[in-house]
Amino acid sequence: MNILVINCGSSSLKYQLIDMENEEVLAKGLVERIGIEGSRVKHTTTGKEEVIIEEPMPDHRKALELVLNALVDTNYGAIESMDEIGAVGHRVVHGGEKFANSVLIDDAVMEALNDCIELAPLHNPPNIMGIEACKELMPNTPMVGVFDTAFHQTIPMSNYIYPLPYELYEKYGIRKYGFHGTSHKYVSQRAAEMLDKPIEELNIVTCHLGNGASVCAVQGGKSIETSMGFTPLEGLAMGTRSGDVDPAVIPFIMEKEGLTFDEVNEMLNKKSGVLGISGISSDFRDLEEAAANGNKRAKLALELFCNRVKKYIGAYAALMCNIDALVFTAGIGENSISIREQICDDLECINIKLDKELNQVRGEEAILNKDLTSTSILVIPTNEELMIARDTLELVEK
Ligand code: ADP
């Protein structure tokens, strides 16, 4: 069966068509600037040249229509007709407490998704738009929702509850939800396969280090703690997000700088993190170059980032007694040799010993140490699309 995986952002749509017979990607692409002037589809069918289709796209429905046309195009398409798409898997950011697993989408699920908008006002509406557009264009194709939060629904209450008045949890669902769940699940399962050990017996710490970044403690295959919280703002310092700060800082800066709630929210989400500290860039390649050229604030931003990751690894080692495997994934985790080295530096105290020679890899699966008595350190490129396609296939076949 071929499965179309859709990931809708507010003005973008990423897609992959995967043949589940052999889990091969038949085609993939990206739609940019939906609803904005200059919208375009970048489409690549495996084995063919990339094509760019420039056409006005006022909404996600039009974007999806162009994607489907591209997939069946006689010159640059991957399939002959839409009937060859057996099911669609949608990435959905927030499933609240309602979804601990992926689900077949029906009217009741749509209602529950709408209820979750309050929890993720920026992310869920475009996800829902993508589902609505698909329902219109492919009314007979089954669809599945796969949630970023679902994997973390196994976190015990003592880890997910915030030390705030308990009524806030009951009234508004204020608690840690965690994100990047599909990625943490994929790489932890893959780590167990690479180490040839049953996941049920492993304590794994997974570090998803991209523009958004989070760490997860995976015990016996289940998430028991993660660094992101009620929103993706908590935890590590990220490209532009602050991560953990003393909450008292927020009313303080609002008063001192005369900021509105929206302005302070924008500052914490878009102008903080390593961008805020360095004043240069949120991109780690720029920061590494600037630090190498003696820029002190770029160096400080990188040190702060690595120290935060280290602190979470240490905390999760304490929660799980020991760590069998430490996994690096996403843009920075997969590609930055020096960030992995800085994070692992001086962690012998918790049995983490990186082999600097084996660490010279980018963007491919690798085990970064050979010493069997210490924590295995792995690089695993994440594959959220494949994970979404696998869940979709499983539910559709049921
Ligand atoms: P997201 O999906 O959250 O946007 P990615 O997982 O694609 O993010 O990661 C993007 C980040 O990865 C970039 O901002 C950049 O900092 C980092 N990155 C990518 N390649 C490299 C590299 N070779 N060295 C260092 N950092 C890199």
Side-chain angles (χ1 to χ4, degrees):
M1 187 191 292
N2 296 331
I3 289 180
L4 179 61
V5 176
I6 302 267
N7 180 355
C8 270
S10 56
S11 65
S12 70
L13 187 163
K14 284 188 218 153
Y15 63 94
Q16 277 193 16
L17 183 68
I18 303 177
D19 176 357
M20 295 310 287
E21 200 81 34
N22 43 19
E23 298 193 333
E24 249 172 50
V25 177
L26 300 176
K28 62 179 172 181
L30 166 69
V31 189
E32 292 169 304
R33 303 181 64 86
I34 301 170
I36 309 171
E37 208 176 319
S39 41
R40 58 185 190 166
V41 186
K42 278 193 209 166
H43 172 89
T44 315
T45 289
T46 306
K48 296 183 185 174
E49 291 263 309
E50 179 188 81
V51 285
I52 296 178
I53 304 147
E54 284 172 327
E55 210 173 295
M57 285 173 240
D59 52 27
H60 286 75
R61 189 186 178 282
K62 181 70 187 170
L64 193 68
E65 200 180 303
L66 292 178
V67 167
L68 294 172
N69 287 345
L71 287 171
V72 299
D73 189 274
T74 39
N75 294 319
Y76 49 79
I79 48 177
E80 281 178 12
S81 94
M82 263 163 59
D83 298 341
E84 290 172 51
I85 301 173
V88 183
H90 290 273
R91 175 192 182 213
V92 183
V93 171
H94 215 309
E97 287 186 322
K98 293 200 172 90
F99 299 107
N101 289 298
S102 304
V103 282
L104 259 179
I105 297 174
D106 58 15
D107 290 345
V109 169
M110 287 311 286
E111 206 171 303
L113 287 181
N114 279 305
D115 290 346
C116 292
I117 288 183
E118 199 178 49
L119 294 172
L122 295 179
H123 294 102
N124 275 23
N127 299 157
I128 293 171
M129 276 192 271
I131 298 173
E132 298 282 9
C134 264
K135 275 170 74 174
E136 273 183 60
L137 295 165
M138 328 167 68
N140 301 318
T141 310
M143 283 192 272
V144 168
V146 180
F147 304 90
D148 271 18
T149 47
F151 182 58
H152 301 301
Q153 281 295 304
T154 47
I155 295 178
M157 193 173 198
S158 51
N159 286 345
Y160 75 64
I161 196 86
Y162 290 118
L164 294 169
Y166 190 81
E167 299 75 49
L168 294 175
Y169 166 62
E170 294 177 308
K171 265 164 78 182
Y172 308 115
I174 294 178
R175 51 159 285 178
K176 178 187 289 259
Y177 289 98
F179 298 88
H180 293 142
T182 311
S183 176
H184 289 299
K185 186 177 175 186
Y186 173 79
V187 298
S188 55
Q189 289 182 350
R190 193 66 203 117
E193 284 166 14
M194 285 168 70
L195 297 171
D196 198 17
K197 290 192 179 138
I199 196 163
E200 294 74 21
E201 289 170 16
L202 294 175
N203 291 331
I204 305 175
V205 173
T206 49
C207 305
H208 178 109
L209 310 178
N211 222 346
S214 67
V215 188
C216 182
V218 185
Q219 188 160 49
K222 295 193 169 119
S223 168
I224 60 148
E225 175 63 303
T226 190
S227 59
M228 281 180 169
F230 178 63
T231 73
L233 189 56
E234 191 182 343
L236 301 176
M238 308 177 212
T240 61
R241 292 187 202 132
S242 65
D244 301 331
V245 286
D246 179 348
V249 168
I250 292 150
F252 187 87
I253 41 180
M254 283 175 83
E255 191 184 34
K256 289 280 177 200
E257 299 266 308
L259 299 179
T260 63
F261 171 74
D262 283 344
E263 285 165 343
V264 82
N265 208 19
E266 157 118 357
M267 183 176 104
L268 293 168
N269 277 290
K270 304 249 170 81
K271 298 180 187 160
S272 299
V274 292
L275 169 69
I277 294 289
S278 69
I280 295 178
S281 172
S282 62
D283 193 302
F284 277 62
R285 287 162 288 200
D286 300 339
L287 295 175
E288 285 179 22
E289 196 188 324
N293 290 329
N295 185 303
K296 290 207 171 86
R297 274 170 55 186
K299 187 163 174 276
L300 177 64
L302 294 172
E303 277 171 9
L304 171 140
F305 177 85
C306 294
N307 283 349
R308 286 247 171 134
V309 180
K310 243 184 211 292
K311 284 196 265 186
Y312 273 99
I313 295 171
Y316 294 171
L319 270 185
M320 299 195 289
C321 286
N322 78 303
I323 308 175
D324 300 302
L326 174 67
V327 183
F328 290 102
T329 192
I332 302 159
E334 290 165 25
N335 294 299
S336 178
I337 293 165
S338 68
I339 293 289
R340 289 195 301 255
E341 193 176 310
Q342 270 192 67
I343 290 171
C344 294
D345 194 28
D346 281 336
L347 280 185
E348 288 87 358
C349 53
I350 54 168
N351 210 22
I352 289 173
K353 298 171 204 157
L354 182 77
D355 182 322
K356 289 185 184 171
E357 270 173 38
L358 293 176
N359 186 37
Q360 304 299 313
V361 287
R362 290 186 204 275
E364 61 184 272
E365 286 188 348
I367 301 179
L368 306 184
N369 54 352
K370 285 205 185 106
D371 169 9
L372 294 177
T373 60
S374 64
T375 299
S376 299
I377 308 172
L378 300 94
V379 174
I380 304 178
T382 193
N383 196 340
E384 288 157 290
E385 292 79 11
L386 179 60
M387 207 68 202
I388 294 172
R390 282 181 185 166
D391 275 17
T392 304
L393 180 72
E394 198 187 315
L395 282 166
V396 170
E397 281 186 340
K398 262 187 197 165

